[in-house]
């Protein structure tokens, strides 16, 4: 079974992330979408809420895939370990990453090198963001929302509700 892990902070999950999940699910038999507890960032949402949001979005993709005859077991599992340890725990051979711009590539290039040293059996697959999603980032979505801007074009209505509630709570 070809298993891939799509890790990310998903704070919040955007339409760009959803696009990568949809496309990644066509490449592997099992896709583990993995919200990470990232100590280097100050997330708007805790790991449980991010995992719940990702799970809600993945449920929609699973239904779409079933209607289209795409057989991919998609799971949502959060992690707080070294990515390569998590990938090995999942029995994955692939890490799936989205790329938006050259700046993403520079960071991802370094990560691929480190991950290859940690486990040369795991390959990283890069998916370029679709043209309509290349500019979307969780950071910008949060900034626009905090300034009372419209974010419906960048996230699902379910995620928008989470973002608006978090802002109302003072996050």
């Amino acid at each position: 079974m070809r298993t891939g892990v799509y890790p990310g902070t998903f704070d919040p999950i955007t339409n760009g992330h959803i696009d990568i999940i949809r496309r990644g699910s066509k490449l592997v038999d099992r896709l583990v979408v993995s919200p990470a507890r990232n100590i280097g960032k100050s997330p708007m949402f805790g790991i449980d809420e991010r995992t719940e949001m990702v799970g809600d979005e993945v449920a929609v993709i699973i239904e779409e895939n079933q209607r289209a005859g795409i057989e991919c077991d998609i799971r949502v599992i959060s992690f707080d370990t070294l990515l390569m340890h998590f990938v090995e725990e999942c029995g994955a051979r692939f890490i799936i990453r989205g790329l938006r711009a050259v700046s993403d590539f520079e960071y991802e290039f370094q990560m691929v090198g480190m991950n290859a040293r940690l486990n040369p059996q795991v390959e990283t697959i890069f998916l370029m963001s679709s043209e309509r999603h290349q500019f979307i980032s969780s950071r910008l979505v949060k900034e626009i929302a905090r300034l009372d801007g419209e974010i419906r074009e960048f996230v699902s209505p379910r995620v928008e509700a989470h973002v608006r509630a978090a802002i109302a709570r003072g996050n």
Side-chain angles (χ1 to χ4, degrees):
M1 179 175 280
R2 294 171 306 167
T3 300
V5 171
Y6 177 37
T9 306
F10 304 111
D11 185 51
I13 185 169
T14 68
N15 291 341
H17 295 126
I18 292 166
D19 178 57
I20 298 297
I21 295 167
R22 276 192 183 107
R23 292 168 47 215
S25 73
K26 296 174 186 175
L27 302 176
V28 295
D29 303 308
R30 175 179 293 140
L31 179 60
V32 181
V33 183
S34 306
R37 184 182 318 261
N38 190 332
I39 59 173
K41 295 184 179 179
S42 299
M44 174 181 267
F45 302 101
I47 189 68
D48 292 338
E49 191 169 6
R50 286 185 281 128
T51 301
E52 176 188 335
M53 281 190 286
V54 172
D56 290 345
E57 300 307 308
V58 162
V60 173
I61 296 169
I62 290 169
E63 288 178 19
E64 291 171 356
N65 282 356
Q66 288 173 342
R67 285 194 300 270
I70 298 167
E71 295 186 28
C72 180
D73 175 19
I74 307 175
R75 300 175 183 196
V76 178
I77 305 171
S78 64
F79 73 104
D80 64 358
T81 62
L82 185 66
L83 174 60
M84 196 52 69
H85 290 166
F86 180 72
V87 167
E88 291 166 354
E89 287 174 26
C90 292
R93 298 293 305 260
F94 305 100
I95 297 171
I96 295 177
R97 299 293 293 163
L99 290 176
R100 292 171 299 190
V102 173
S103 59
D104 285 349
F105 178 79
E106 291 174 14
Y107 171 78
E108 295 294 343
F109 183 77
Q110 290 178 327
M111 292 302 294
V112 167
M114 291 301 290
N115 287 336
R117 296 294 288 267
L118 294 170
N119 186 338
Q121 303 303 311
V122 175
E123 293 291 337
T124 300
I125 299 171
F126 291 108
L127 296 176
M128 293 300 299
S129 293
S130 297
E131 181 179 305
R132 66 182 297 209
H133 301 301
Q134 286 180 348
F135 59 91
I136 300 173
S137 74
S138 296
R139 182 183 59 78
L140 290 175
V141 166
K142 290 183 290 192
E143 186 175 325
I144 291 167
R146 283 185 177 119
L147 295 171
D148 203 29
E150 195 56 55
I151 61 171
R152 287 186 190 141
E153 187 177 340
F154 314 122
V155 297
S156 74
R158 292 171 300 279
V159 172
E160 179 183 19
H162 280 274
V163 171
R164 298 291 180 201
I167 291 168
R169 291 190 306 263
N171 288 356

